[in-house]
Amino acid sequence: MAETFELEVATPEKLLVREHVTEAQIPAANGYVGILPGHSPLLAELGTGDLTYVSEGRRRHLAVSGGWIEVVGDRVRVVADIGEKADAIDLKRAEEALSRARDRLTHPPAGLDVARALNSLKRAQARIDAATHK
């Protein structure tokens, strides 16, 4: 059995990751999926969260949201609506976005789209988690 698999993470704008990795933790719509070499084929909806993977013995982080996860053979593809590497995240902006989202949910204005506000909250938290390597 192989010791690694190829992980590709892409958004409509760019390819974020194409590396051989030993493991990955990917946020699916209904919870995290742990991937190791030899994983069964899988097609799942991508959720919002901190995608982590281990490459060259080092754990790396990305914030992702929306899209699809595909596992076939020794290749894992993540096509994300939104994705950002941890080192590219402006932590201060992410914390401000989280604060605004919490504020909207705590003191909702008339006509608030609650689902959209919750998604904003989840995306901000995912960015903070990736940036602070939680």
Side-chain angles (χ1 to χ4, degrees), residues 8-50:
E8 291 181 7
V9 181
T11 68
E13 292 81 33
K14 64 183 170 182
L15 179 65
L16 294 170
V17 174
R18 181 182 284 149
E19 295 184 43
H20 284 276
V21 305
T22 56
E23 67 177 82
Q25 296 287 322
I26 304 172
N30 294 317
Y32 276 79
V33 176
I35 309 286
L36 294 171
H39 195 284
S40 301
L42 171 74
L43 180 61
E45 184 178 356
L46 182 65
T48 298
D50 179 16

Side-chain angles (χ1 to χ4, degrees), residues 32 48-51 61-65 89 91 93-99 101-102 117-134:
Y32 276 79
T48 298
D50 179 16
L51 182 156
H61 299 257
L62 293 100
V64 295
S65 181
I89 295 171
L91 185 57
R93 281 187 58 215
E95 289 169 343
E96 289 168 355
L98 181 64
S99 179
R102 284 183 177 152
L118 284 170
N119 284 334
S120 293
L121 181 99
K122 288 178 189 176
R123 283 191 307 272
Q125 187 63 59
R127 293 179 77 230
I128 291 167
D129 290 349
T132 58
H133 305 290
K134 285 188 177 178

Side-chain angles (χ1 to χ4, degrees), residues 66-78:
W68 298 97
I69 305 162
E70 177 188 52
V71 180
V72 177
D74 65 347
R75 179 170 291 151
V76 175
R77 288 190 179 113
V78 177

Side-chain angles (χ1 to χ4, degrees), residues 50-117:
D50 179 16
L51 182 156
T52 64
Y53 63 95
V54 176
S55 174
E56 298 175 357
R58 207 171 130 216
R59 184 164 302 277
R60 300 166 201 263
H61 299 257
L62 293 100
V64 295
S65 181
W68 298 97
I69 305 162
E70 177 188 52
V71 180
V72 177
D74 65 347
R75 179 170 291 151
V76 175
R77 288 190 179 113
V78 177
V79 180
D81 296 335
I82 300 169
E84 197 171 5
K85 288 185 175 182
D87 58 4
I89 295 171
D90 182 334
L91 185 57
K92 185 174 186 234
R93 281 187 58 215
E95 289 169 343
E96 289 168 355
L98 181 64
S99 179
R100 282 191 308 274
R102 284 183 177 152
D103 230 23
R104 277 193 304 272
L105 289 165
T106 306
H107 305 96
L112 175 70
D113 182 341
V114 176
R116 187 173 174 194

